[in-house]
Amino acid sequence: MLVGTFVIVALLSGSAAALTAHLLTHPSLQFATPGPDRRIGTPDDVVVTGATMLGPQDSGQNTHSAASFAYLIGSNVSNFPDDSTYDYILFVDGEIEFAPNLAASTASDVQLDITGGTLRSTTEFMFHGGMRGEAQTPVAGVVHLDPMTGAGTFTLSGHFSPAEVGADFVLMSQTLSGTTTILLADKFGKIADPYLDQLVVLLPSNATALILAEVTGHVTEATHQGWPSRGVLVAYTTDALGCVSFLTGVPCSGGGGGSCASFSECEPPLTAALPPVAGAPKKNKPTAKRLKALATSAHGNFGKATGASGKKQARFYKKACTALKTLASVAGKANGKGRLGVDLGAIQAAVAKLRSFIPGC
């Protein structure tokens, strides 16, 4: 679920500006260790303090109150670690700087270049007969994100330098895959997701967006190949955000649809953005007809939802949401085949604005 970025990426007002993500820390999370849900900041957290170390390799506690962490298994096996099968656990805080790469992005693959930042990991494990200790690293890499589904990959590299001499860890290339949720400030507290709601409470008052990424992957460095890892990254930004169409580079307002404030008010921009059926080239006409039918389905089901309640209302909202998602997907595929004939970015922005009025969409 990618909430609030619509089908454009949340950027600074200029398309070349950078975005700084601060990994979330909060006093209420100090010494919290994730339970079976593999998240920090939920009721099943286990608080570990004192001299107790974590896992079979004596990882340190969550001393810096981090919401982000990574599990590791210290061998090349097929399964990914969880709260009961990890060898190492690292709690991570710091900052990551991103720069949108619009030239390398498409409607279904947004590229964000990691241009800077520093991560800090907690005490890791016994090494060379001593404690490896905390480590810091500058980071570099690239993120690919599908804004329609939230699916994405993170490729990171860095050089973790702990206090212990000879315990450096050069992360050559770690590719993590998973899902990302980006929640803009106007949606704080308005999404029916208990974990996101809990995280929002922990954000500073000037936060403009919340980022949640849940990923798996394999560690590659000089002496270890293919160690499976699983991690959660929780971050926020205080940067002033705007938005830019992937295809046109034109700034948009409110995520598409201008200043409209309701589903019905925001339908005209979608109608205007769709290709007309009448007069459409023969090869484009089936797409135009299908897009119109999907827009009609979204309109009808949203209207039924507003007059219903309980499970029936949820069912109609889900149908409306599905129709809009399918509409954007059909438009994207048609555009790739040269059979759309209109601006894909305008359709996607209008769809995203409408989705923001559908609970859970």
Side-chain angles (χ1 to χ4, degrees):
M1 175 178 61
L2 194 65
V3 182
T5 51
F6 313 111
V7 285
I8 47 185
V9 67
L11 305 173
L12 301 181
S13 299
S15 62
L19 173 70
T20 300
H22 309 271
L23 272 63
L24 177 64
T25 62
H26 191 272
S28 66
L29 304 179
Q30 189 171 35
F31 302 120
T33 301
D37 68 356
R38 301 191 294 262
R39 291 172 167 179
I40 294 176
T42 55
D44 72 348
D45 287 354
V46 178
V47 176
V48 179
T49 60
T52 303
M53 304 301 281
L54 301 170
Q57 299 297 329
D58 292 332
S59 298
Q61 306 95 335
N62 188 6
T63 54
H64 301 300
S65 312
S68 304
F69 69 95
Y71 294 121
L72 283 168
I73 293 178
S75 59
N76 189 347
V77 295
S78 60
N79 59 295
F80 290 106
D82 57 28
D83 71 299
S84 61
T85 61
Y86 68 89
D87 291 325
Y88 312 94
I89 182 169
L90 299 177
F91 302 94
V92 184
D93 65 336
E95 296 180 348
I96 304 176
E97 296 175 3
F98 298 94
N101 189 335
L102 295 182
S105 297
T106 67
S108 60
D109 180 17
V110 181
Q111 179 170 321
L112 302 174
D113 295 331
I114 300 176
T115 57
T118 301
L119 298 181
R120 174 175 60 176
S121 64
T122 47
T123 299
E124 191 171 341
F125 53 86
M126 303 301 289
F127 193 86
H128 289 172
M131 183 58 69
R132 176 182 165 88
E134 295 183 357
Q136 292 188 339
T137 180
V139 289
V142 65
V143 176
H144 288 276
L145 183 67
D146 183 340
M148 290 301 297
T149 65
T153 61
F154 300 71
T155 301
L156 298 173
S157 60
H159 186 167
F160 283 92
S161 301
E164 184 186 353
V165 176
D168 288 17
F169 182 95
V170 180
L171 186 64
M172 297 166 58
S173 176
Q174 181 172 11
T175 298
L176 303 168
S177 301
T179 58
T180 301
T181 300
I182 303 176
L183 192 66
L184 298 187
D186 64 344
K187 294 295 183 291
F188 287 177
K190 299 178 182 178
I191 303 299
D193 185 308
Y195 187 50
L196 291 176
D197 289 342
Q198 174 62 26
L199 293 175
V200 165
V201 173
L202 305 181
L203 297 178
S205 60
N206 61 340
T208 55
L210 169 68
I211 303 113
L212 168 64
E214 299 179 274
V215 294
T216 57
H218 294 85
V219 173
T220 299
E221 56 92 31
T223 58
H224 303 114
Q225 307 290 322
W227 284 15
S229 64
R230 182 194 299 273
V232 173
L233 181 148
V234 179
Y236 65 91
T237 185
T238 59
D239 293 323
L241 300 177
C243 58
V244 177
S245 165
F246 290 146
L247 301 183
T248 65
V250 178
C252 55
S253 173
S259 59
C260 57
S262 68
F263 191 93
S264 59
E265 287 182 15
C266 295
E267 285 186 289
L270 176 60
T271 301
L274 295 178
V277 176
K282 185 176 180 180
K283 69 174 184 176
N284 293 9
K285 196 175 288 288
T287 295
K289 288 182 177 180
R290 189 176 182 198
L291 293 177
K292 182 178 179 181
L294 288 166
T296 300
S297 174
H299 169 85
N301 281 293
F302 188 89
K304 292 176 182 178
T306 58
S309 60
K311 292 183 179 180
K312 183 175 290 187
Q313 182 183 62
R315 185 167 63 251
F316 285 131
Y317 275 141
K318 184 177 181 179
K319 288 182 177 180
C321 180
T322 298
L324 290 173
K325 289 180 178 179
T326 304
L327 189 157
S329 176
V330 170
K333 291 177 180 178
N335 184 72
K337 296 177 181 179
R339 296 184 178 182
L340 185 60
V342 295
D343 178 23
L344 175 62
I347 293 175
Q348 292 178 321
V351 165
K353 185 66 176 180
L354 289 171
R355 284 180 58 186
S356 72
F357 297 105
I358 303 176
C361 185

